[in-house]
């Protein structure tokens, strides 16, 4: 555990809890282990693919793809038709080749169903179980949206060029070639592509053969893959460069566009470290002969764990020491660790269906945090993970939450499954479970799980079975409530002195925010307890009932619950105990200080505490130096700043916020010190950004001066200061400065640089400049994904939601046309999310239903819940906040006058 907190053996009550749970384990409602027949999905399970032989020839002038595929299939029961997936393509020929090469080919009449995204092949007669082959010829699209095989236009010193890349997850392999595009249908793939002779082409496996194809083209065939899901197929082709390395016999490459190879050196070193670490941790070595990390200059915003060929938006992979920030450096380590974890959890062992997506994403998120912390303990990753956990707990308390295991019925729901509950709640629960079981037993279970299910599919039940077998503890009984129920608990804490011994009473209930009709639920909660005088001595109990009382040390000792902040629950202390904790908060380890701070603000959001209670607590932390704690305070100030927009108390709030943050800038200074810690570098950037946002004139003047020097000497502006300085300059820009930033954006050489300049444009507070930024979203000036995001950035960082929303409504069809399916449901909510008016929440839901789709309402309702919460806080808490700040400022004025 972090901060030197160690686990000790639990007390006698843990044994009782174990025996009680063991009795319940056999009757607890839980998901079933993996079964192919029982796995959800839309395709019939009467025919399964065994092997695909694919040939593709993209046309980079007409932006189409000519292709063919021969599929070897296993028929499991008699059928008179074969159904698979295909979308946005024309199938020009379909042939049934029979069960062997001697069979006579039979032409079929393919039927495409765009709504169901299927291709049906009626057979001339019913065929019996056995192995057969079908052959298809087709023509597909090469669009700019990151769906299937897509094209990316990017700038080079020689002008604009085009490369190809793929994005298949969750349901877009069917856009590149007809296939069984559900994760349970594992098969092998042999891919051949015809691409320009100057291209470097990359797929899952090494090249088997390569030869000229005439007319300036080349034909490349890749080796056959292991059995895998269709969403893991990758193809990248372009005028690319490579940086090579080797670890444990595996060839590693960082692949970039021209001139950026050296920016991949940091990622190469990260890959070497992480691959060796994962080989050891999982107990099974990476099974492919090569691992490529591929930087794509646009097209999509994240990264994709394609087996053997991971793709990244280049901002998440490339690091230039002269221009890239510490935040970028840390992000690269984390994202690379996440995607590489998928090579085992997701690729070697694959979730059976998208309702179990958290097995892939929650685990990879947890593993990334663990790995990043292992190699970079000075980055305080445990504190960052705790902040992430608290953020998702805030969402999980609302009426729009859902269980980690959520039914997925169609493609739209599969896209929606990639959310914070899947990633961050999954990660946080695994952290709590590992903390309870112990690192060694947890890893033993993970190794068993991967060994038992490699090259196969699983459900959550399979993971619980492996962990339960390894640990001897009732993992399934504990875990069901956390993965199959929505929400989270709050644990109420009371103490009493009985016969000179302190009796600790713990009582749980569901913790909710603006959800009065929430179902009453109960969890089995691993509770970590400590005495504030002995923070390294942590005891565990398992809260299985609604209420439990137990002896805990001598009377008068101050107790902290959720010691080490690994638990996924809120804590509400009786007033006397909370006051004792607040008075001694600076004696707590950093994780526990952060936990207390997060819990108090959560109580404010839930209406269980008043905002001044939180503000009082921050006063106790004015001398705090830990980044994660200040990050929590600043994030809360940002929420209050939203509520104060247009309100009479705004000026006083901004004055108070600046007075709170200025001492940190005075401590840190503007320039990095020798041997400065990474968290201090991040804190400097965050403090400067918010001081600028709150109108600190000295900070704004300093940012402008550094910007003027930057225009003359770009190297004069430190990498860590570029984001806060340029965003601030954009925020307060006039037309001349705006035009300068726009020119810098158009001439940017890389994705990180380009995104920064366009973000600075969107941050402009001047409505006339906002009106210049919004139309860029409709052009091809930058990549479509970044262009369409400008609308929500003008609404948010530019503080002009009305302007942005009016523009969006006028141009919604054009905007949605540029948004890939993966982001479509969340696009309109991203624009309206900056409002604090409950009427806008209603408007959001009505608009999405009428103009986007019924399927998009899930995301709309989630955002609407956030808007309504802000509206409630504004009405309920803002008067008390203004009163508290007025008193604080008056006291400060009196103190200054007295001096």
């Amino acid at each position: 555990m972090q901060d030197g907190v160690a686990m000790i053996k639990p007390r006698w009550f843990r044994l009782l809890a174990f025996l009680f749970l063991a009795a319940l384990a056999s009757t607890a409602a839980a998901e079933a282990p993996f079964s192919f027949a029982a796995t959800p999905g839309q395709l019939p399970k009467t025919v399964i693919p065994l092997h695909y032989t694919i040939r593709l020839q993209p046309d980079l002038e007409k932006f189409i793809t000519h292709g063919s595929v021969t599929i070897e299939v296993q028929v499991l029961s008699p059928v008179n038709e074969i159904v698979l997936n295909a979308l946005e393509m024309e199938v020009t020929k379909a042939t049934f080749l029979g069960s062997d090469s001697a069979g006579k080919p039979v032409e079929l009449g393919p039927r495409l169903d765009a709504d169901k995204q299927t291709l049906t092949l009626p057979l001339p007669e019913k065929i019996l179980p056995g192995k057969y082959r079908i052959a298809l010829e087709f023509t597909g699209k090469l669009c700019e949206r990151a769906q299937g095989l897509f094209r990316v236009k990017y700038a080079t010193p020689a002008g604009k060029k085009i490369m190809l890349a793929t994005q298949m997850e969750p349901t877009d392999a069917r856009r590149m070639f007809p296939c069984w595009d559900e994760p349970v249908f594992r098969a092998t793939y042999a891919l051949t592509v015809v691409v320009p002779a100057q291209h470097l082409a990359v797929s899952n496996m090494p090249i088997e053969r390569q030869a000229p194809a005439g007319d300036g083209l080349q034909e490349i065939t890749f080796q056959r893959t292991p059995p895998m899901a269709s969403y893991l197929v990758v193809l990248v082709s372009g005028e690319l460069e490579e940086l090579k390395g080797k670890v444990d016999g595996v060839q590693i490459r960082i692949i970039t566009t021209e001139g950026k190879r050296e920016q991949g050196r940091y990622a190469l070193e990260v890959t070497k470290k992480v691959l060796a670490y994962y080989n050891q941790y999982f107990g099974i070595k990476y099974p492919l002969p090569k691992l490529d990390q591929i930087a794509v200059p646009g097209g999509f915003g994240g990264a994709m764990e394609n087996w053997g060929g991971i793709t990244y938006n280049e901002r998440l992979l490339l690091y230039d020491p002269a221009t890239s920030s510490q935040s970028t450096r840390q992000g690269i380590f984390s994202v690379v660790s996440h995607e590489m974890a998928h090579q085992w959890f997701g690729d070697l062992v694959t979730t059976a269906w998208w309702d179990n997506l958290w097995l892939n994403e929650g685990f990879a998120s947890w593993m990334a945090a663990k790995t990043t912390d292992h190699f970079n303990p000075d980055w305080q990753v445990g504190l960052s993970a705790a902040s992430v956990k608290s953020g998702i707990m805030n969402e999980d308390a609302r009426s729009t939450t859902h269980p980690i295991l959520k039914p997925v019925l169609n493609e739209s729901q599969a896209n929606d499954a990639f959310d914070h509950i899947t990633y961050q709640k999954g990660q946080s629960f695994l952290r709590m479970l590992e903390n309870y079981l112990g690192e060694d037993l947890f890893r033993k279970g993970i190794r068993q799980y991967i060994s038992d299910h490699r090259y196969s599919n699983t459900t959550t039940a399979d993971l619980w079975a492996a962990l339960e077998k390894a640990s001897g503890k009732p993992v399934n009984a504990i875990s069901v409530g956390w993965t199959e129920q929505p929400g989270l608990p709050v644990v109420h804490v009371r103490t009493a002195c009985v016969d000179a011994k302190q009796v600790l009473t713990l009582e749980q209930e569901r913790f909710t925010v603006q959800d009065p009709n929430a179902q009453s639920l109960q969890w089995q909660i691993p509770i970590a307890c400590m005495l504030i005088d002995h923070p390294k001595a942590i005891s565990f109990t398992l809260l299985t009932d609604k209420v439990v009382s137990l002896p805990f040390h001598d009377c008068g000792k101050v107790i902290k619950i959720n010691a080490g902040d690994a638990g996924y629950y809120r804590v509400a202390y009786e007033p006397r105990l909370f006051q004792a904790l607040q008075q001694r908060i600076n004696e707590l380890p950093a994780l526990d200080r952060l936990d207390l701070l997060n819990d108090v603000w959560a109580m404010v959001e839930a209406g269980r505490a008043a905002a001044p209670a939180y503000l009082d607590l921050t006063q106790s932390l004015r001398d705090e130096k830990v980044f994660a704690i200040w990050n929590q305070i600043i994030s809360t100030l940002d929420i209050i700043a939203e509520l104060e927009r247009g309100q009479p108390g705004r000026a006083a709030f901004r004055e108070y916020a600046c007075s709170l943050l200025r001492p940190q800038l005075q401590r840190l200074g503007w320039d990095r010190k020798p041997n400065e810690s990474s968290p201090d570098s991040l804190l400097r950037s965050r403090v400067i950004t918010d001081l600028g946002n709150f109108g600190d004139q000295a900070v704004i003047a300093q940012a402008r001066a550094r910007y003027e020097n930057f225009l003359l000497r770009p190297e004069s502006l430190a990498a860590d200061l570029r984001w806060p300085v340029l965003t601030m300059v954009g925020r307060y820009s006039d037309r001349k400065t705006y035009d300068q930033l726009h020119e810098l954006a158009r001439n940017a050489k890389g994705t990180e640089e380009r995104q920064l300049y366009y973000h600075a444009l969107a941050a402009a507070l001047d409505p006339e400049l906002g009106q210049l930024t919004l139309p860029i979203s409709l052009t091809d000036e930058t990549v479509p994904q970044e262009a369409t995001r400008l609308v929500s950035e003008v609404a948010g960082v530019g503080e002009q939601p009305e302007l942005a929303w009016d523009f969006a409504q006028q141009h919604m069809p054009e905007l949605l046309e540029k948004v890939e399916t993966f982001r479509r449901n969340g696009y309109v909510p991203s624009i309206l999310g900056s409002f604090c008016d409950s009427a806008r929440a209603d408007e959001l839901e009505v608009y999405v239903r009428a103009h986007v789709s019924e399927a998009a309402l899930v995301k709309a309702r989630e955002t609407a819940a956030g808007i309504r919460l802000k509206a409630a806080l504004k009405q309920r808490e803002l008067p008390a906040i203004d009163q508290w700040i007025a008193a604080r400022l008056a006291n400060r004025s009196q103190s200054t006058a007295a001096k």
Side-chain angles (χ1 to χ4, degrees):
M1 297 179 69
Q2 289 75 29
D3 290 338
V5 179
M7 291 189 297
I8 65 170
K9 291 184 179 180
R11 303 182 183 280
W12 58 270
F13 45 75
R14 184 172 175 183
L15 176 61
L16 294 179
F18 169 78
L19 294 174
F20 176 75
L21 281 178
L24 290 179
S26 61
T27 59
E31 187 185 41
F34 169 66
S35 160
F36 175 79
T39 297
Q42 294 186 307
L43 294 178
K45 292 187 171 62
T46 51
V47 180
I48 60 174
L50 301 175
H51 176 69
Y52 297 85
T53 301
I54 307 164
R55 188 179 190 277
L56 298 174
Q57 185 166 349
D59 186 328
L60 298 184
E61 293 182 354
K62 297 180 180 179
F63 301 131
I64 58 175
T65 300
H66 301 287
S68 63
V69 58
T70 299
I71 311 173
E72 299 172 23
V73 299
Q74 177 85 48
V75 175
L76 302 180
S77 60
V79 296
N80 53 22
E81 66 180 15
I82 296 174
V83 183
L84 61 161
N85 293 115
L87 182 63
E88 293 190 346
M89 64 174 59
E90 179 186 2
V91 177
T92 55
K93 187 176 182 181
T95 307
F96 180 70
L97 299 177
S99 58
D100 55 52
S101 57
K104 183 179 180 180
V106 178
E107 297 294 320
L108 305 176
R111 296 199 311 263
L112 287 164
D113 187 322
D115 292 333
K116 293 182 178 180
Q117 302 185 10
T118 57
L119 167 65
T120 300
L121 303 174
L123 299 170
E125 59 183 12
K126 183 174 289 188
I127 58 175
L128 299 176
K131 293 182 180 180
Y132 301 89
R133 292 179 303 136
I134 56 175
L136 305 168
E137 296 179 12
F138 55 91
T139 302
K141 298 179 180 179
L142 277 179
C143 66
E144 287 190 276
R145 297 189 302 272
Q147 299 173 173
L149 181 62
F150 65 97
R151 69 184 194 270
V152 180
K153 184 166 61 175
Y154 62 99
T156 74
K160 294 278 188 178
K161 293 189 177 181
I162 292 176
M163 66 176 290
L164 301 175
T166 50
Q167 173 58 38
M168 306 298 203
E169 192 179 30
T171 59
D172 285 327
R174 64 192 69 178
R175 297 176 189 268
M176 187 169 103
F177 61 98
C179 59
W180 277 257
D181 199 15
E182 296 179 359
V184 75
F185 293 105
R186 299 179 77 104
T188 57
Y189 299 81
L191 175 63
T192 297
V193 295
V194 179
V195 293
Q198 68 272 26
H199 276 206
L200 171 67
V202 184
S203 189
N204 304 88
M205 297 293 286
I207 292 174
E208 184 173 86
R209 60 181 180 273
Q210 185 172 5
D215 295 327
L217 301 173
Q218 59 176 330
E219 183 174 274
I220 300 172
T221 298
F222 298 95
Q223 295 176 18
R224 186 179 182 131
T225 71
M228 65 183 196
S230 56
Y231 75 87
L232 297 172
V233 173
V234 63
L235 172 62
V236 175
S237 182
E239 297 180 38
L240 308 173
E241 298 178 346
E242 56 187 3
L243 193 64
K244 295 182 179 180
K246 205 166 194 177
V247 172
D248 293 344
V250 176
Q251 180 72 51
I252 298 169
R253 293 188 298 176
I254 308 297
I255 296 173
T256 74
T257 52
E258 301 161 277
K260 298 178 182 177
R261 179 174 57 187
E262 285 304 308
Q263 295 178 38
R265 197 161 293 281
Y266 174 63
L268 181 64
E269 295 309 310
V270 172
T271 303
K272 289 179 179 178
K273 290 179 181 179
V274 174
L275 186 60
Y277 179 69
Y278 285 175
N279 281 342
Q280 184 274 333
Y281 185 90
F282 293 121
I284 293 176
K285 287 192 172 183
Y286 175 77
L288 303 188
K290 63 93 174 174
L291 175 59
D292 292 326
Q293 309 270 34
I294 309 160
V296 181
F300 70 121
M304 177 60 210
E305 66 267 20
N306 316 294
W307 211 359
I310 305 172
T311 49
Y312 301 79
N313 181 289
E314 67 176 13
R315 181 178 180 177
L316 302 177
L317 192 67
L318 303 186
Y319 178 79
D320 184 343
T323 60
S324 297
S325 66
Q326 177 63 25
S327 177
T328 297
R329 182 179 176 88
Q330 293 184 200
I332 290 170
F333 205 110
S334 177
V335 175
V336 168
S337 298
H338 178 109
E339 301 306 326
M340 288 181 63
H342 277 310
Q343 304 299 292
W344 286 263
F345 248 83
D347 298 1
L348 183 62
V349 181
T350 306
T351 181
W353 179 243
W354 302 112
D355 55 356
N356 271 279
L357 178 64
W358 90 279
L359 278 176
N360 292 2
E361 301 300 347
F363 182 89
S365 299
W366 169 82
M367 195 71 201
K370 184 179 185 69
T371 305
T372 304
D373 184 58
H374 173 81
F375 286 105
N376 309 281
D378 59 312
W379 290 359
Q380 300 176 354
V381 174
L383 284 159
S384 298
S387 298
V388 169
K389 178 195 72 172
S390 186
I392 188 55
M393 288 166 72
N394 291 340
E395 293 185 27
D396 204 13
R398 301 173 191 169
S399 62
T400 51
T401 191
H402 61 82
I404 288 176
L405 291 174
K406 177 185 177 183
V408 172
L409 304 178
N410 53 47
E411 290 79 10
S412 179
Q413 291 181 8
N415 285 319
D416 286 347
F418 291 79
D419 66 5
H420 293 159
I421 296 293
T422 296
Y423 282 73
Q424 279 82 47
K425 184 175 181 178
Q427 168 190 351
S428 300
F429 174 64
L430 288 173
R431 178 171 175 247
M432 180 170 69
L433 189 61
E434 183 202 31
N435 191 52
Y436 177 66
L437 299 181
E439 288 188 85
D440 291 342
L441 290 177
F442 189 85
R443 181 175 62 181
K444 181 180 178 182
I446 293 299
R447 287 181 169 184
Q448 186 69 51
Y449 168 81
I450 292 176
S451 177
D452 289 348
H453 302 287
R454 52 186 157 177
Y455 300 108
S456 185
N457 297 80
T458 58
T459 69
T460 296
D462 297 307
L463 177 60
W464 299 156
L467 289 170
E468 189 161 307
K469 181 178 180 181
S471 67
K473 297 171 184 175
V475 174
N476 185 68
I478 295 171
S479 302
V480 166
W482 298 98
T483 56
E484 299 187 25
Q485 294 182 159
L488 71 152
V490 56
V491 177
H492 297 272
V493 183
R494 304 188 301 273
T495 59
C497 189
V498 179
D499 297 330
K501 289 292 182 183
Q502 186 161 231
V503 175
L504 176 65
T505 299
L506 306 173
E507 181 176 358
Q508 65 162 298
E509 65 169 325
R510 184 174 179 183
F511 182 76
T512 62
V513 174
Q514 291 194 302
D515 190 11
N517 299 317
Q519 180 185 0
S520 179
L521 299 172
Q522 191 168 312
W523 289 261
Q524 294 168 8
I525 311 172
I527 303 285
C529 312
M530 77 178 189
L531 296 178
I532 195 170
D533 295 321
H534 301 285
K536 293 185 180 181
I538 297 179
S539 298
F540 285 89
T541 186
L542 202 54
L543 180 58
T544 60
D545 294 322
K546 182 175 177 59
V547 185
V548 67
S549 294
L550 46 94
F552 197 83
H553 292 281
D554 298 329
C555 294
K557 298 292 186 180
V558 181
I559 298 171
K560 169 70 172 58
I561 303 302
N562 196 14
D565 196 17
Y568 192 84
Y569 52 90
R570 296 295 184 193
V571 181
Y573 297 92
E574 61 181 348
R576 178 181 56 81
L577 182 53
F578 177 78
Q579 185 177 12
L581 286 167
Q582 181 173 349
Q583 289 172 350
R584 300 180 64 183
I585 189 171
N586 290 296
E587 299 175 40
L588 293 171
L591 276 164
D592 293 286
R593 300 199 298 276
L594 179 62
D595 175 47
L596 201 61
L597 198 62
N598 278 322
D599 278 350
V600 173
W601 180 253
M603 297 300 162
V604 174
E605 289 196 345
R608 294 170 180 250
Y614 173 85
L615 297 171
D616 286 339
L617 192 59
T618 64
Q619 289 300 303
S620 303
L621 295 166
R622 290 186 73 101
D623 296 328
E624 183 62 68
K625 296 181 180 179
V626 172
F627 167 70
I629 294 174
W630 273 110
N631 194 47
Q632 197 285 338
I633 294 171
I634 293 171
S635 296
T636 306
L637 291 176
D638 289 344
I639 293 172
I640 298 173
E642 271 196 273
L643 308 182
E644 291 281 11
R645 198 176 297 160
Q647 300 300 306
R650 188 186 191 206
F653 164 74
R654 285 155 64 96
E655 181 183 348
Y656 167 74
C658 287
S659 73
L660 188 64
L661 298 180
R662 282 191 195 108
Q664 289 301 313
L665 182 56
Q666 291 167 1
R667 176 178 72 87
L668 296 166
W670 276 79
D671 299 308
R672 185 184 180 100
K673 299 176 179 65
N675 302 316
E676 181 176 274
S677 71
S678 296
D680 273 355
S681 297
L682 297 178
L683 180 56
R684 174 186 295 106
S685 177
R686 190 74 203 271
V687 167
I688 288 172
T689 297
D690 267 57
L691 282 171
N693 289 345
F694 296 144
D696 187 303
Q697 292 304 308
V699 169
I700 295 169
Q702 179 65 215
R704 284 172 169 159
R706 289 177 181 252
Y707 169 70
E708 294 299 331
N709 287 334
F710 166 76
L711 292 178
L712 297 174
R713 296 183 300 109
E715 71 279 3
S716 68
L717 188 58
D720 286 337
L721 292 179
R722 293 194 172 200
W723 189 271
V725 165
L726 292 171
T727 301
M728 198 183 312
V729 168
R731 180 179 178 85
Y732 299 107
S733 61
D734 55 17
R735 180 59 187 268
K736 176 184 175 182
T737 304
Y738 180 94
D739 288 342
Q740 289 173 339
L741 290 169
H742 197 180
E743 187 65 18
L744 289 168
R746 282 190 288 247
N747 294 325
K749 297 178 181 178
T751 299
E752 182 179 11
E753 185 182 11
R754 181 181 68 244
Q755 289 179 352
L756 170 54
Y757 292 134
Y758 280 109
H759 178 80
L761 295 179
L765 297 177
D766 185 340
E768 292 186 3
L769 300 181
Q771 289 173 346
L772 294 177
T773 301
L774 289 168
I776 299 173
S777 64
L778 304 176
T779 72
D780 61 356
E781 182 177 312
T782 185
V783 296
Q785 296 73 25
E786 294 170 22
T788 53
R789 193 164 57 236
L790 287 172
V791 183
S792 60
E793 290 190 323
V794 169
V797 295
E799 298 184 12
Q800 300 181 72
E802 293 88 357
L803 182 68
W805 179 226
D806 288 345
F807 175 87
Q809 290 179 89
Q810 295 170 25
H811 301 281
M812 191 59 71
E814 301 158 83
L815 291 167
L816 288 178
E817 179 63 26
K818 300 180 72 171
V819 176
E820 65 270 32
T821 302
F822 191 77
R823 290 175 53 229
R824 185 179 299 263
N825 288 352
Y827 185 69
V828 174
S830 74
I831 300 168
L832 279 92
S834 297
F835 284 110
C836 301
D837 180 355
S838 58
R840 294 292 191 173
D842 299 337
E843 182 181 1
L844 168 60
E845 292 174 337
V846 170
Y847 183 90
V848 166
R849 177 182 281 112
H851 299 283
V852 184
S853 69
E854 284 284 336
L857 274 174
V858 172
K859 293 298 182 187
R861 287 169 178 153
E862 290 172 359
T863 300
I867 297 172
R868 292 188 181 104
L869 173 59
K870 288 188 290 184
L873 288 172
K874 188 175 180 178
Q875 180 179 15
R876 187 181 72 230
E877 300 296 337
L878 206 54
I881 291 172
D882 289 345
Q883 186 176 1
W884 187 94
I885 288 173
R888 183 68 52 181
L889 294 177
N891 290 338
R892 191 180 68 183
S893 297
Q894 292 172 5
S895 299
T896 302
K899 292 180 181 178

